[in-house]
């Protein structure tokens, strides 16, 4: 079944997030119905929500947006490629396409001083138009930065400051269709610009699901997931995007690279895996053939409590070693559990459980310290009997580790709220507090050290800045040999450069990951944000191979130059960037 | 626990297969106790085993082995690196290190005319010595071909004919230890030169298994598995080697590339995946950190029969979609089932089942045609209850597809015999018949076409050659979106060039894979054998990326030049090879 629906004639239907924050205007976090939240924030980051003034974004016309350098000739060439209505160098379009949505991005865009935007934004309708844009850009000596949902938080989207060439933001938003489902193979051809909800809706219509639900789901695209090696909440079952994406189409100068959907192949080195995680540096991903699954008969998320982090961690490990194979394995540490309780509405969620007397009494009777308890969610999917059996295996392991099950209620709430965290981050930023995330993966034997190391590093950074700060964590994905730990940190901005303060904390945590055996990112990519640690992660020899590949496959640096390797955050890691690609290309080829 | 045992002082303990065939001398296939075999072979490939003369290998001293070109200076440098006893340019050592064990390799080596051998073979004791060898080779402008067990059948090991530089075969055989097991994480650091049985023995001692059992297991190494993206018989459960190998150490000029063992990472493009399947072109793999598993409580292989191939295939697909997740999914087509029956001993195995009257009567009563029946093996592993449940799910699916279970007996025999097939191939070669394999993977929706296409292609090739020929197949691995089909073909050599005849058949089958949506190899790698189809498999753009990587990462072509891309079997695909790397490097960089 091939979907031959015409794509919209112009880009008016392409959805973008608001230029100054996450999501759409009119949606936001509020704490009025969460009585524990304000006291929690006061204690955690020293921000008094009762008295703080909520910052308002600058009016857009106050922004200092650099002019576009696009030449009339090149603009005309792009127009010839995609039509009059689908090329723009309007300031708003360019600003929307300048950054992702990291804290660094929001601070910069809200400051009103934007050093470099793309010069022109194009919205091709299909792969043929993408090819025309790429070829026109190559002919004009321009730079291309592919753009999906704009949710990136690793600095993978921004033009390099100092880039003198014309920068094209190539927005894939019109390539948003599920083209075909091979029902016999459980494979779907989907255009790269499809947002999570849009592609899931098209799949659901046909009885399928992709099963890929990253936190950014609402505002991120299939192409973006592939370009950054994304993971989702149910990846324990469905695999990371590197497992899910079997076939690829990538527009490169002069033609399209095609990897057919093959379940497994020994043709190495795997080109599929070169494209996955390439962050636009090897061309423009236009289509992905992905594994899709029939919507399972049963899909439940159960909540559990553990007396402390160590037992929770140990239980997750034992679950991963067991025959249970659940779809979600998640456990929050004590701090994050406290945070979850504080952000619950008075009458719902966790509060409902712990505000009563039954559960706390039970916990105390077991000898638990309520400040140490850890909340866990485990997902079960499949046939009715299978899900039941998964749960039976897990329940036994939980019991062995002195945990207790509290049913499905909290899991339902978690499932509903799971995509809302970025709104909370924006709310805190409005109130003067920096909040951001860092995540890593490490072998089971190193997870405790990674956790404690990141905590100590964050605390050291807070101390250095003379601040009350906050860090919390959860285990979000389990594998045979280890797991992903996801950290959220926050602190109140002072009078100084907010980016410089942020860098002190973020850098300390990233370095702690490396020092304790973790990777620089389990599912957010490298971009510019994590690039400084890449050599420590994959060794100088590994970085050499990546540079070799980019230098030889894209010798002119047409495609998103400076990302992953070659670009650098300089000047105390403030928001100025230099492009060292040219130099490094010479080094490699010397 | 780190194993600090000293490695043997010299290479006398390094095991090699015999120069003229598979395995060790004194082990071979014989058919005297298999009464159905000779009639089967007569019918299948027109070879009369009762009257045919068994060819004897040439005495080694009749071989026409080219002289070594190694200079005294370079030989001295290698000796300085690894010691007097571990460098050799003896003719036997060089011949043993010239080829893998494909049919093409055996025909060539048995012909006595060997166009190019390595000039020198070195046996470093550890990674530091590997580094010294690599650096000495780079300084001397030599070529390095890493050598593990020598079981390769894709032409990945041979020096390129016409290579004027000194060719070093770097034998990893002394790097054969399990260095350390991280019991907490299920990870083991293992040296790359460890043969399958040796590493399994060291793991078993500690209560672990790798779970990787390719057909070549007895004579192949961990490093070789990684270098060719190998799969094993239980890969449905344990994963392909690309999943199993989490950490890597690769010696490159001037230093070691280190990929730490991380369960999953978003640092793309994945350098780990560049090394996996690189067939020695990016350096010398010295150590791999692999996922290991506790030996499961239960491990059974059950046999089933299906009335025909279509129902067997459909059942495998449904099993792969189910919650059963077995460790092995295998079904032979009718021809291979017939072959299995013919190679069974009179009183054992399948014959025992079908020689009686009960089973055939039962099958006939079900309306089955005994010429169409298909034998299947399904493996169950894990806890007792889990294995039982897996089997219950599978049994229901088998029943739905009109199959029948016949218990564990045949599975036990299969498990014992599984590594012996190459001996049978050699026996047939001795008797004048070419036997070889080609395997592929494709989506479920294309498997029937791939199967029928390969059969038609082989038959077309046999017709073209005017021969009675044989082809048979089984499904060997299942994935969510498809499976691996493994083909074995055979025909009687004529008076002409045996390699030219072989090429007609092999080429036809490989082309049929591509034409029907399969890949060129699911688990044998690319080498020189499959390289001609690489562009059709991964597109010109994909080949460009691979060439880009090799050209930039190894600009002098030090490491196994010509393999995967750049080398070519020329002259009607006969055994002469040219190195076109230099030319193609220029193309890429132009």
């Amino acid at each position: 079944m091939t979907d031959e629906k015409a794509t919209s004639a112009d880009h008016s239907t392409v959805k973008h997030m608001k230029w100054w924050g996450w999501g759409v205007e009119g949606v936001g976090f509020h704490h009025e119905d969460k009585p524990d939240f304000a006291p929690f924030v006061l204690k955690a980051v020293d921000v008094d929500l009762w008295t703080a003034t909520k910052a308002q974004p600058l009016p857009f016309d106050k922004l200092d947006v650099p002019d576009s350098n696009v030449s009339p000739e090149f603009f005309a060439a792009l127009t010839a490629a995609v039509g009059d209505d689908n090329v723009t160098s309007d300031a708003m379009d360019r600003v929307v396409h300048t950054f992702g949505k990291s804290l660094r991005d929001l601070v910069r865009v809200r400051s009103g001083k934007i050093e470099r935007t793309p010069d022109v934004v194009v919205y091709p309708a299909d792969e043929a138009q993408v090819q025309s844009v790429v070829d026109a850009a190559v002919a004009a000596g321009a730079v291309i930065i592919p753009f999906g949902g704009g949710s990136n938080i690793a600095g993978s989207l921004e033009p390099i400051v100092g880039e003198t060439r014309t920068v094209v933001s190539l927005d894939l938003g019109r390539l948003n269709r599920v083209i075909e489902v091979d029902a016999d193979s459980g494979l779907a051809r989907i255009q790269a610009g499809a947002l999570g909800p849009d592609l899931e809706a098209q799949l659901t219509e046909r009885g399928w699901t992709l099963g890929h639900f990253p936190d950014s789901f609402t505002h991120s695209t299939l192409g973006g997931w592939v370009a950054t090696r994304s993971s989702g909440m149910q990846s324990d079952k469905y695999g990371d995007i590197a497992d899910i994406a079997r076939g690829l189409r990538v527009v490169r100068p002069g033609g399209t690279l095609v990897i057919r959907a093959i379940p497994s192949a020994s043709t190495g080195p795997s080109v599929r895996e070169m494209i996955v995680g390439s962050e636009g540096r090897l061309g423009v991903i236009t289509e992905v053939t992905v594994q899709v699954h029939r919507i399972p008969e049963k899909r439940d998320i159960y909540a559990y409590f553990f007396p402390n982090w160590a037992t929770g961690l140990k239980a997750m490990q034992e679950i991963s070693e067991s025959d249970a194979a659940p779809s979600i394995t998640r456990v929050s540490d004590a701090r994050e559990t406290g945070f979850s309780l504080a952000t619950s509405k008075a009458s719902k969620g966790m509060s409902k459980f712990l505000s009563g007397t039954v559960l706390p009494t039970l916990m105390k009777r077991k000898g638990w310290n309520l400040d140490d308890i850890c909340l866990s969610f485990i997902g079960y999917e499949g046939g009715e009997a299978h899900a039941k059996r998964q749960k039976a295996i897990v329940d036994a392991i939980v019991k062995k580790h002195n945990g207790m099950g509290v049913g499905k209620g909290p899991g339902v709430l978690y499932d509903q709220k799971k995509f809302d965290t970025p709104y909370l981050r924006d709310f805190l930023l409005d109130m003067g507090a920096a909040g951001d995330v860092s995540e890593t993966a490490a072998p089971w034997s190193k997870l405790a050290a990674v956790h404690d190391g990141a905590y100590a590093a964050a605390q050291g950074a807070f101390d250095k800045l003379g601040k009350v700060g906050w860090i919390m964590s959860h285990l979000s994905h389990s594998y045979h040999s280890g797991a992903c730990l996801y950290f959220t940190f926050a602190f109140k901005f002072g009078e100084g450069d907010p980016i410089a303060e942020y860098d002190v904390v973020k850098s300390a945590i990233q370095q702690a990951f490396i020092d304790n055996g973790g990777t620089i990112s389990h599912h957010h990519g490298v971009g510019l944000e994590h690039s400084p640690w890449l050599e420590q992660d994959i060794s100088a020899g590994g970085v050499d191979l990546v540079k070799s590949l980019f230098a030889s496959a894209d010798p002119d640096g047409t495609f998103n130059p400076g990302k992953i390797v070659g670009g650098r955050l300089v000047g105390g890691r403030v928001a100025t960037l230099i492009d060292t690609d040219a130099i490094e290309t010479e080094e490699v080829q010397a």
Side-chain angles (χ1 to χ4, degrees), chain A residues 247-331:
Chain A
L248 292 165
R249 295 183 64 90
V250 184
V251 170
R252 292 185 29 85
T256 303
L257 184 161
V258 182
I259 300 296
R260 300 172 307 152
I262 298 289
S264 185
S266 63
T267 48
S270 168
V271 173
R272 193 182 67 81
E273 289 272 2
M274 290 184 205
I275 302 298
V276 175
S278 59
E279 300 189 12
R281 290 214 51 168
L282 294 173
V284 184
I285 300 166
T286 51
E287 185 185 307
V288 189
T289 302
V290 289
Q291 296 181 173
V292 292
H293 299 255
R294 290 289 180 192
I295 294 158
E297 190 185 0
K298 200 77 186 166
R299 178 178 180 274
D300 283 328
I301 302 173
Y302 278 78
Y304 299 87
F305 277 104
F306 291 95
N308 54 51
W309 176 238
T311 52
L313 211 55
K314 194 70 202 157
M316 293 307 114
Q317 180 174 3
E318 201 163 323
I319 290 166
S320 88
E321 285 167 5
S322 76
D323 295 321
S327 58
I328 300 171
T329 46
R330 183 184 168 107
V331 60

Side-chain angles (χ1 to χ4, degrees), chain A residues 341 344-354 409-410 413:
Chain A
L341 298 176
S344 292
K345 292 185 188 172
S347 58
K348 282 187 171 177
M350 285 300 101
S351 294
K352 198 176 96 184
F353 282 81
L354 290 183
L413 281 173

Side-chain angles (χ1 to χ4, degrees), chain A residues 547 550-552 554-555 580-590:
Chain A
K547 282 183 181 170
F550 292 161
S552 187
D554 180 28
T580 58
D581 248 16
I583 302 160
E584 286 164 359
T585 300
E586 280 165 28
E587 275 171 12
V588 166
Q589 295 183 337

